[in-house]
């Protein structure tokens, strides 16, 4: 088995001051404090986190709010750098920390597919090739040349999910993007996610609080507690350990 | 198939990453396309709006300013004289204003997706580049009217050759200032309060409504030599009515300032880029 992601001793530190010096005056005021090394209150969102992911494997990150799940995804997605440690990613990575990133209400559904697709890292040709599939999956075909602001919120979410579902990447990071639309669409999207997670060429990391869905989609779970990994086992024992922690 | 390998480390050291930017060129195109489309979608006059503002400014300068303050424009029609300066100035000022707010306007995307952050201000400049080209076409049309209807001696090919030489200077300077301020605006939100003053001061340090030809002011000359916009406007204006092409040598001070501003802009932006998502 080849490795898809290798996470080595990642730490992420945030400074807990009320303001990080968002304006010039505060920044200047901070200089003397920094010179005399006044103790700044630090907060570790991740502490010495290491794991690796095989190609084709799907895992779930489980944990309470603030346990560091999203921070981990943000580091892997290269949105924020780690404070210490290193991650190596083999292959093309795409992150879905939210569906419909960059959707613009003034643009039509068609235009938003292209805009959103390119933001998620798709090439124009890829989008063209998958365009019909995306539209069909979303079920908004008859409104595709209507401005997005005239869509119902459910329709917007369905379109957003559909673009994301047809992303062409080796590794996918998916944060709480289930449960979009009506029951029928939820079933359909869950089925799509299951297909993606079982795809031998794709590696997926799921983050969700919906434990039932996670246990259906993945076989392995990593439990994060206060920024540390406390379990890295099969998904069912991971979930039961998580439930015990309450 | 060759596999991509990405290594994520703390605070990436300073590097240019030009290749990566090229890889994301489609995204830059889509950002610019979005902003242009949204701007003109509901507007009946559409693209005409790009012309209205410089047209009115040039009319006001010609009608009001010139009657009181005689600007020695030589053979060049006063209207064309002002219009040329305004078009160059507008590209610079509009780009700086629009790109410096672009990072915050796209904050929701920056927080959720990775891409080279330079794509955002660059796309903003491209949006303004479209207006710039429309303005130049408008200028050419007006110049042709002067040539064939009012029988002025106007050298269209000279104008475009001058523009070709001025453009790299204008583009590098505009991009540098835009990138510098857009990056800084993420780190220090009060930068946006400073931008209107900066634009105002720059306006007076740029020969849009005056000329450097008459009189001998050593201090003004030095200041203007440091302003790359001066070179762009001068070479543009000198060739509107010139019979033979007027090649203006670019002052050393301009070259030095261009290189310095470009390096400073790229350096500051790249230094801060990795942490934008945490700050924005």
């Amino acid at each position: 088995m080849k490795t898809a992601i290798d996470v080595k001793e990642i730490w992420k530190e945030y400074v807990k001051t009320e303001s990080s010096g968002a304006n010039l005056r505060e920044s200047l005021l901070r200089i003397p404090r920094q010179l005399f090394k006044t103790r700044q209150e630090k907060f570790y969102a991740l502490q010495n986190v290491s794991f690796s992911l095989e190609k084709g494997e799907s895992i779930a990150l489980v944990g309470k709010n603030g346990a560091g799940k999203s921070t981990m995804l943000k580091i892997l997605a290269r949105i924020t750098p780690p404070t210490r440690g290193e991650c190596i990613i083999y292959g093309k990575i795409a992150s879905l920390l939210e569906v419909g990133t960059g959707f613009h209400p003034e643009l039509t559904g068609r235009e938003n597919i292209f805009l959103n697709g390119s933001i998620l890292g798709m090439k124009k040709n890829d989008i063209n090739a998958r365009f019909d599939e995306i539209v069909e999956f979303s079920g908004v075909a008859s409104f595709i040349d209507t401005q997005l602001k005239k869509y119902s919120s459910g329709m917007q979410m369905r379109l957003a999910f559909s673009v994301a579902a047809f992303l062409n990447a080796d590794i996918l990071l998916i944060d709480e993007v289930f449960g979009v639309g009506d029951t029928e669409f939820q079933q359909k999207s869950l089925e799509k996610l299951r297909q993606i997670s079982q795809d031998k060429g794709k590696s997926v990391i799921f983050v969700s609080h919906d434990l039932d869905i996670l246990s259906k989609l993945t076989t392995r779970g990593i439990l994060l507690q206060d920024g540390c990994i406390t379990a890295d086992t099969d998904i069912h024992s991971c979930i039961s350990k998580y439930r015990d922690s309450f | 198939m060759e596999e991509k390998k990405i290594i994520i480390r703390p605070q990436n050291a300073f590097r240019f990453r030009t290749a990566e930017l090229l890889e994301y060129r489609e995204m830059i195109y889509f950002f610019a396309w979005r902003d242009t489309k949204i701007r003109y979608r509901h507007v009946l006059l559409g693209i005409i709006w790009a012309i209205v503002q410089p047209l009115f400014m040039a009319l006001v300068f010609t009608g009001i300013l010139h009657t009181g303050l005689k600007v020695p424009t030589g053979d060049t029609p006063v209207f064309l004289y002002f219009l040329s300066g305004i078009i160059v100035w507008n590209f610079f000022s509009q780009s700086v204003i629009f790109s410096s707010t672009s990072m915050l306007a796209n904050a929701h995307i920056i927080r959720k997706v990775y891409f080279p952050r330079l794509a955002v201000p660059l796309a903003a400049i491209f949006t303004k580049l479209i207006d710039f080209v429309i303005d130049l076409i408008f200028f050419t049309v007006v110049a042709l009217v002067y040539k064939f209807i009012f029988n002025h001696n106007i050298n269209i090919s000279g104008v475009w050759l001058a523009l070709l030489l001025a453009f790299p200077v204008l583009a590098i300077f505009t991009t540098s200032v835009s990138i510098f301020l857009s990056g800084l605006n993420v780190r220090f939100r009060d930068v946006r309060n400073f931008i209107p003053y900066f634009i105002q001061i720059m306006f007076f340090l740029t020969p849009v409504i005056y000329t450097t030809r008459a009189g001998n002011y050593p201090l003004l000359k030095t200041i203007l030599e440091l302003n790359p916009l001066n070179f762009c406007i001068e070479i543009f204006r000198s060739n509107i009515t010139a019979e033979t092409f007027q090649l203006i040598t670019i002052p050393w001070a301009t070259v030095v300032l261009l290189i310095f501003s470009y390096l400073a802009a790229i350096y500051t932006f790249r230094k801060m880029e990795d942490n934008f998502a945490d700050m924005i």
Side-chain angles (χ1 to χ4, degrees):
Chain A
M1 273 294 225
K2 277 168 82 182
T3 312
I5 295 180
D6 205 358
V7 177
K8 293 180 208 158
E9 293 163 25
I10 287 289
W11 295 71
K12 178 68 181 179
E13 171 189 307
Y14 284 107
V15 177
K16 226 158 105 184
T17 41
E18 65 282 22
S19 162
S20 55
N23 66 44
L24 204 57
R25 195 180 70 92
E26 281 169 24
S27 275
L28 291 174
L29 287 174
R30 271 175 58 198
I31 293 174
R33 260 192 283 155
Q34 279 172 350
L35 281 177
F36 297 110
K37 289 251 185 277
T38 326
R39 218 184 60 212
Q40 281 175 319
E41 240 191 300
K42 282 171 183 167
F43 162 74
Y44 286 95
L46 291 172
Q47 301 179 45
N48 204 10
V49 169
S50 304
F51 65 91
S52 69
L53 185 63
E54 304 288 316
K55 199 163 272 297
E57 193 182 15
S58 295
I59 61 166
L61 291 185
V62 186
K64 293 178 192 166
N65 283 330
K69 307 181 299 288
S70 292
T71 307
M72 192 61 239
L73 286 198
K74 276 186 167 179
I75 288 172
L76 288 172
R78 287 186 290 166
I79 292 165
T80 184
T83 313
R84 282 195 290 278
E86 184 181 271
C87 307
I88 306 173
I89 291 163
Y90 301 89
K92 193 172 179 291
I93 190 162
S95 54
L96 287 172
L97 304 197
E98 171 191 82
V99 287
T101 309
F103 262 20
H104 200 288
E106 294 288 331
L107 298 175
T108 66
R110 181 190 300 275
E111 290 164 343
N112 270 305
I113 291 177
F114 280 93
L115 182 65
N116 182 234
S118 86
I119 287 170
L120 293 175
M122 284 165 101
K123 297 273 173 243
K124 206 174 162 211
N125 293 337
D126 291 344
I127 307 172
N128 267 323
R130 284 147 202 265
F131 187 81
D132 293 336
E133 281 178 283
I134 294 173
V135 175
E136 204 208 288
F137 192 85
S138 70
V140 297
S142 49
F143 298 97
I144 202 67
D145 288 310
T146 307
Q147 282 179 321
L148 199 74
K149 63 180 175 188
K150 291 173 185 159
Y151 281 37
S152 72
S153 54
M155 282 161 72
Q156 289 187 19
M157 293 304 276
R158 266 152 54 193
L159 187 66
F161 181 90
S162 307
V163 182
F166 288 92
L167 267 180
N168 180 26
D170 308 318
I171 302 156
L172 280 164
L173 311 173
I174 301 180
D175 192 355
E176 289 289 13
V177 297
F178 334 117
V180 199
D182 51 25
T183 322
E184 191 198 335
F185 193 79
Q186 280 179 20
Q187 286 299 322
K188 205 164 118 182
S189 54
L190 195 61
E191 190 45 46
K192 185 76 196 169
L193 285 173
R194 207 200 313 262
Q195 262 176 40
I196 293 169
S197 70
Q198 279 165 4
D199 188 328
K200 284 284 161 256
K202 283 192 166 76
S203 317
V204 193
I205 300 184
F206 289 102
V207 165
S208 177
H209 291 284
D210 194 327
L211 302 171
D212 288 339
I213 290 185
L214 286 182
S215 64
K216 283 176 197 155
L217 290 173
T218 63
T219 49
R220 180 179 153 204
I222 291 176
L223 179 60
L224 278 168
Q225 279 175 325
D226 300 321
C228 303
I229 293 186
T230 50
D232 182 352
T233 53
D234 70 285
I235 187 71
H236 297 289
S237 44
C238 182
I239 287 173
S240 58
K241 191 160 181 203
Y242 173 56
R243 288 208 167 111
D244 290 344
S245 72
F246 284 103
Chain B
M1 203 177 91
E2 199 186 311
E3 197 168 60
K4 236 175 99 178
K5 186 174 163 186
I6 306 163
I7 300 174
I8 299 167
R9 288 209 177 97
Q11 272 285 355
N12 294 311
F14 171 60
R15 59 213 155 99
F16 276 93
R17 294 189 277 205
T18 320
E20 188 185 37
L21 207 56
L22 274 174
E23 215 176 287
Y24 279 83
R25 61 183 181 277
E26 277 190 4
M27 184 185 213
I28 300 177
Y29 161 76
F30 273 117
F31 276 152
W33 168 83
R34 173 195 66 186
D35 290 336
T36 314
K37 195 127 199 178
I38 289 161
R39 199 159 141 230
Y40 293 123
R41 170 146 284 172
H42 283 301
V43 183
L44 207 63
L45 289 170
I47 226 87
I48 307 277
W49 276 114
I51 299 169
V52 169
Q53 200 261 355
L55 172 69
F56 276 93
M57 245 172 111
L59 281 176
V60 167
F61 289 160
T62 313
I64 299 167
L65 197 78
H66 190 66
T67 44
L69 211 118
K70 282 266 177 271
V71 181
T73 62
D75 300 335
T76 314
V78 184
F79 181 71
L80 287 185
Y81 195 84
F82 285 134
L83 190 61
S84 59
I86 289 163
I87 289 174
V88 173
W89 167 253
N90 270 5
F91 173 63
F92 171 78
S93 59
Q94 298 286 325
S95 299
V96 171
I97 292 169
F98 189 48
S99 61
S100 59
T101 55
S102 63
M103 295 297 293
L104 295 185
N106 288 297
H108 58 291
I109 303 174
I110 290 169
R111 259 187 247 120
K112 297 291 180 188
V113 188
Y114 170 81
F115 57 88
R117 306 317 194 189
L118 262 179
V120 173
L122 285 183
I125 296 168
F126 273 113
T127 314
K128 297 300 168 187
L129 189 63
I130 298 169
D131 287 2
F132 181 58
V133 172
I134 296 167
D135 286 349
L136 288 178
I137 293 167
F138 173 63
F139 179 89
T140 312
V141 172
V142 178
L144 285 171
V145 169
Y146 270 97
K147 188 181 170 89
F148 291 111
I149 298 178
F150 301 116
N151 283 321
H152 271 275
N153 203 4
I154 281 163
N155 186 355
I156 300 284
S157 53
V159 166
W160 279 90
L161 184 58
L163 283 168
L164 220 59
L165 291 175
F167 186 70
V169 177
L170 179 63
I172 294 173
F173 185 59
T174 305
T175 312
S176 307
V177 177
S178 302
I179 289 173
F180 182 74
L181 290 176
S182 59
L184 215 59
N185 195 27
V186 177
R187 181 70 184 82
F188 306 111
R189 293 297 155 83
D190 39 7
V191 165
R192 87 185 134 189
N193 301 331
F194 151 81
I195 286 167
Y197 301 109
F198 170 74
I199 293 289
Q200 228 164 43
I201 291 163
M202 278 301 287
F203 181 74
F204 290 113
L205 294 180
T206 307
V208 181
I209 53 166
Y210 57 89
T211 172
T212 47
R213 277 183 210 166
N216 186 25
Y217 310 103
L219 178 67
L220 182 66
K221 199 164 169 284
T222 318
I223 293 172
L224 287 180
E225 277 189 357
L226 276 170
N227 180 358
L229 296 178
N230 179 46
F231 167 77
C232 303
I233 293 178
E234 272 305 302
I235 194 167
F236 187 2
R237 277 177 176 169
S238 307
N239 284 293
I240 297 176
T241 52
E243 303 247 332
T244 53
F245 187 72
Q246 301 288 304
L247 188 66
I248 290 176
T249 43
I250 181 163
W252 276 110
T254 304
V255 177
V256 171
L257 192 115
L258 267 187
I259 296 171
F260 174 77
S261 61
Y262 179 74
L263 292 177
I266 295 286
Y267 181 77
T268 42
F269 196 93
R270 291 297 201 195
K271 265 290 195 198
M272 295 187 289
E273 180 176 46
D274 287 335
N275 285 317
F276 276 167
D278 288 338
M279 293 191 290
I280 211 158

